[in-house]
Amino acid sequence: MTSLFVTPSTQQDGTDETTTIKRRQVNSMSRTDSPFPGVSQRYDRLRKIKQNIFFFLFRAAAAINGIALLVIIYFMVVNGWRAITWEFLTQPPMQSMTKGGILPCIVGTFALSFGAIIVALPIGIASAIYLTEYARPGKVVRLIRLGINNLAGVPSVVFGLFGLAFFVVILGMGVSIAAGALTLGAMSLPVIIGSTEEALKSVPDTYREASLGLGATKWQTIWRVVLPSAMPGILTGAILGISRAAGETAPIMFTGAVFFTPKLPTSIFNEVMALPYHIYVLATAGTAIEKTRHLQYGTAIVLIALVLGMNLVAIIWRSRLRKRLK
Amino acid sequence: MTVSEQRTDQSKAEYKMSSDNLDFYYGAFKALHGVSMVFKPCEVTALIGPSGCGKSTFLRCLNRMNDLIPTSRVEGLITLDGNDIYAPAVDVVMLRRKVGMVFQKPNPFPKSIFDNVAYGLWVNGVKNKAFVQERVEESLKQAAIWDEVKDRLQDTALGLSGGQQQRLCIARALAVKPEVVLMDEPASALDPIATQKIEELIHELKETYTIIIVTHNMQQAARVSNVTAFFYMGKLIEVGETDTIFTRPKKKQTEDYITGRFG
């Protein structure tokens, strides 16, 4: 194995002397006999191979993630690129949704996601601040945490049914943007609380101590020091949570989205079309499922672009805020 | 607290702060055992002792920073100008404005140099911009860092060197005009030159402030302090004039420690 370690001595710019010194060091490094009893040369070789195998596995696992995303996008673009036209993005569906565009769905999904942010962000951030900054650890906090964790595990269709029962029926909102946004917001709360808590915990305690030591109140400390430092993390988590919710079908199919409505919403109590539900409708319940395949893929492209766009905004926003903190 | 705000009055007082039979607990662990000592105005008191001896814990009792630790408990009496600082009526926010603190690791906020120093004024309700401007400059000068930062007050404080950051933190503490300044190993994260600057600064500050400094460095204690207190295993072993402690300590443990036989 020594040959691996010896550098080719052609093209040397040093004197002969330095080269020999280098060589000598190199040779003593490459000796494989161990100073410990019972350790064979084979062991040294084996552990290097082991390391390479595991590195390869980890690399492969990481690569699968990237490849999966690429395959999904490739698949949709190949099948749906023909559908993406200016008309597709700016017109309502026509002729029983076999022609025309998806403008109402884009507007609807935007309205629902935006509404969900407005609902979930203040409540989520406030809860996280309470849990990490104010609440003394104890039974109550543990119970609340348990609740939040379980909320994260509730299937999205259950959120849909809850929204139907509570917002649509009991609160009398009807199938509307308001009811849909509240349902989506409730669904993304655990994610927002979780990421906000992480962001708050990552703010060093020394900032808090410095602020309190100057005669600031706890709230002043949170508002002026802790929150600004945690903001990048909070916003990323929030937008990732909402972009996840934006692609959900189940929570909105009973609460905010309808099969078909060519009108654009004028109030938060209007019902809307939404991208994910539209895909579901075209692919399972439409009048001409095969004929509208390219429309389904086209809609999916728009949805994915929207979600990726939101993530991109989150990333840019975060890096801007981080820069300002440095 | 109806304490006279006049510094001149206070300098007549025999002592600025006192601790009487102070016990401190982290949960079930008793970290301080009956510590009693006084701090005279316009003097530097050094708290020395091996790691874990309770000197930092004691320091943090003096501005109730330990309140932040959920399971902690204090017994005994600490006074500022004769008033019990743990009394129920005491506003801990006001207490911390009067008893400022400089921490072991420089901890400037991720804000501009100016905002760092002005922060304490803002949170205490000062709105007058000219006053803030003036006080920021004054504090930075007091902390001997003005010349280095005067042309870049709007730059982030995180771009300063460790020593500069620590002097900025001192300026930040001075801006709210505390009466007592607690320093928790303020130079332990700094190189010798920065350390020297901090020590010179302490010399100047003791004209105006009562300073209590925790240090691991015994030469530092000998250089900067008037009074030295030696802590061991949560107990105050010996306290006295710094010269006496370092030349003729009364207790064997103190002598062993300062001569480097343990710790």
Side-chain angles (χ1 to χ4, degrees):
Chain A
M1 291 305 278
T2 41
S3 61
L4 263 182
F5 293 91
V6 178
T7 46
S9 53
T10 50
Q11 245 199 6
Q12 44 177 268
D13 39 9
T15 62
D16 284 348
E17 211 176 4
T18 53
T19 322
T20 26
I21 290 171
K22 242 185 232 161
R23 272 245 180 101
R24 205 173 294 141
Q25 283 170 342
V26 159
N27 283 339
S28 77
M29 293 267 291
S30 63
R31 253 190 301 145
T32 45
D33 45 345
S34 161
F36 304 113
V39 178
S40 63
Q41 288 189 18
R42 218 173 124 248
Y43 174 80
D44 256 357
R45 233 183 16 250
L46 269 179
R47 63 174 182 171
K48 266 172 206 144
I49 292 171
K50 219 186 254 172
Q51 156 160 301
N52 289 338
I53 290 172
F54 274 98
F55 276 2
F56 172 77
L57 287 176
F58 294 142
R59 232 179 244 134
I64 286 170
N65 279 298
I67 291 168
L69 180 68
L70 288 179
V71 166
I72 291 171
I73 292 176
Y74 171 80
F75 195 61
M76 283 188 318
V77 169
V78 162
N79 286 292
W81 68 271
R82 279 178 300 126
I84 308 283
T85 58
W86 182 244
E87 285 71 37
F88 186 67
L89 298 174
T90 55
Q91 305 235 316
M94 283 178 272
Q95 297 180 17
S96 306
M97 296 195 280
T98 55
K99 290 266 156 51
I102 53 166
L103 180 66
C105 311
I106 298 175
V107 172
T109 289
F110 255 114
L112 288 169
S113 319
F114 190 67
I117 291 178
I118 290 178
V119 171
L121 208 55
I123 300 178
I125 293 178
S127 320
I129 288 177
Y130 171 73
L131 286 173
T132 46
E133 305 287 329
Y134 281 101
R136 294 246 152 170
K139 259 198 187 139
V140 182
V141 169
R142 244 181 299 154
L143 211 66
I144 296 175
R145 281 243 161 76
L146 193 73
I148 293 169
N149 289 338
N150 278 305
L151 208 59
V154 171
S156 55
V157 68
V158 176
F159 273 101
L161 288 171
F162 160 75
L164 174 66
F166 189 67
F167 299 123
V168 176
V169 177
I170 296 179
L171 296 186
M173 292 176 182
V175 173
S176 62
I177 294 175
L182 284 167
T183 311
L184 282 182
M187 207 188 82
S188 40
L189 264 182
V191 179
I192 292 177
I193 294 175
S195 60
T196 305
E197 277 199 88
E198 283 313 307
L200 292 173
K201 277 184 203 151
S202 73
V203 176
D205 268 337
T206 57
Y207 288 178
R208 293 182 181 85
E209 289 182 341
S211 172
L212 294 171
L214 291 164
T217 62
K218 209 163 181 176
W219 171 242
Q220 286 177 320
T221 301
I222 292 169
W223 181 249
R224 287 165 171 268
V225 177
V226 178
L227 273 182
S229 303
M231 225 9 121
I234 294 175
L235 289 177
T236 334
I239 295 192
L240 291 181
I242 295 293
S243 70
R244 175 88 228 164
E248 282 285 351
T249 314
I252 55 170
M253 61 195 284
F254 316 125
T255 58
V258 291
F259 196 86
F260 176 69
T261 169
K263 278 186 300 180
L264 294 180
T266 52
S267 128
I268 58 163
F269 295 108
N270 287 155
E271 50 191 25
V272 288
M273 295 183 80
L275 291 166
Y277 189 46
H278 189 61
I279 297 171
Y280 169 76
V281 165
L282 287 183
T284 62
T287 46
I289 293 173
E290 280 307 323
K291 224 174 115 192
T292 58
R293 271 295 177 232
H294 67 289
L295 291 182
Q296 296 161 24
Y297 282 111
T299 311
I301 292 174
V302 173
L303 178 58
I304 285 221
L306 206 83
V307 170
L308 290 182
M310 278 169 125
N311 292 354
L312 202 67
V313 167
I315 290 166
I316 293 169
W317 202 348
R318 179 179 57 186
S319 70
R320 278 232 181 126
L321 281 173
R322 282 220 178 117
K323 226 175 262 163
R324 210 187 306 158
L325 287 178
K326 267 176 197 154
Chain B
M1 301 232 290
T2 53
V3 188
S4 155
E5 292 287 320
Q6 297 297 307
R7 200 166 293 285
T8 46
D9 284 348
Q10 281 157 6
S11 60
K12 282 179 204 152
E14 204 165 319
Y15 52 81
K16 184 71 192 166
M17 289 193 88
S18 76
S19 155
D20 190 18
N21 210 12
L22 189 81
D23 293 341
F24 184 84
Y25 300 83
Y26 292 109
F29 174 70
K30 192 171 183 182
L32 291 176
H33 302 259
V35 175
S36 299
M37 67 184 292
V38 297
F39 301 97
K40 290 186 186 150
C42 298
E43 271 196 359
V44 179
T45 306
L47 311 180
I48 62 169
S51 295
C53 68
K55 58 194 187 301
S56 280
T57 301
F58 179 61
L59 190 79
R60 294 165 67 94
C61 285
L62 297 173
N63 67 345
R64 293 183 54 175
M65 213 40 123
N66 284 330
D67 288 14
L68 302 180
I69 302 162
T71 57
S72 68
R73 192 156 51 85
V74 178
E75 281 168 18
L77 180 71
I78 292 182
T79 65
L80 173 67
D81 298 318
N83 297 300
D84 179 5
I85 66 167
Y86 281 91
V90 169
D91 179 2
V92 66
V93 171
M94 283 309 291
L95 170 74
R96 293 195 186 125
R97 192 189 66 66
K98 287 183 180 178
V99 184
M101 189 157 195
V102 176
F103 297 83
Q104 180 171 1
K105 266 169 72 185
N107 57 353
F109 300 126
K111 299 173 185 290
S112 74
I113 293 168
F114 184 91
D115 287 2
N116 260 281
V117 184
Y119 179 85
L121 299 169
W122 288 334
V123 296
N124 281 291
V126 180
K127 296 232 160 62
N128 183 332
K129 278 188 181 157
F131 178 84
V132 172
Q133 199 96 35
E134 203 174 293
R135 179 58 66 78
V136 167
E137 180 174 340
E138 182 192 331
S139 308
L140 288 168
K141 278 178 178 159
Q142 255 186 315
I145 190 180
W146 172 251
D147 289 332
E148 290 156 70
V149 299
K150 65 181 173 203
D151 299 322
R152 46 173 175 151
L153 292 175
Q154 294 311 322
D155 289 5
T156 169
L158 301 183
L160 299 172
S161 73
Q164 288 173 325
Q165 286 188 8
Q166 192 62 304
R167 275 178 288 147
L168 176 70
C169 290
I170 293 174
R172 181 176 66 182
L174 299 181
V176 295
K177 293 267 172 188
E179 294 159 17
V180 181
V181 180
L182 309 177
M183 297 185 169
D184 191 356
E185 300 184 45
S188 69
L190 306 181
D191 66 46
I193 294 167
T195 301
Q196 194 191 350
K197 284 197 170 155
I198 301 281
E199 288 183 10
E200 283 166 6
L201 187 53
I202 293 172
H203 261 296
E204 280 164 35
L205 293 178
K206 77 172 170 192
E207 306 289 319
T208 349
Y209 303 92
T210 307
I211 295 173
I212 304 164
I213 177 173
V214 162
T215 176
H216 258 123
N217 180 332
M218 277 175 287
Q219 285 87 351
Q220 185 171 65
R223 280 192 301 260
V224 301
S225 69
N226 307 92
V227 173
T228 297
F230 172 62
F231 283 76
Y232 185 58
M233 307 271 279
K235 294 193 180 83
L236 174 62
I237 304 296
E238 188 172 351
V239 56
E241 296 289 321
T242 298
D243 290 343
T244 322
I245 292 277
F246 279 96
T247 51
R248 284 165 278 131
K250 290 191 188 72
K251 299 269 172 63
K252 175 92 170 43
Q253 281 161 314
T254 316
E255 187 181 340
D256 286 351
Y257 183 69
I258 59 175
T259 51
R261 226 162 290 168
F262 77 95

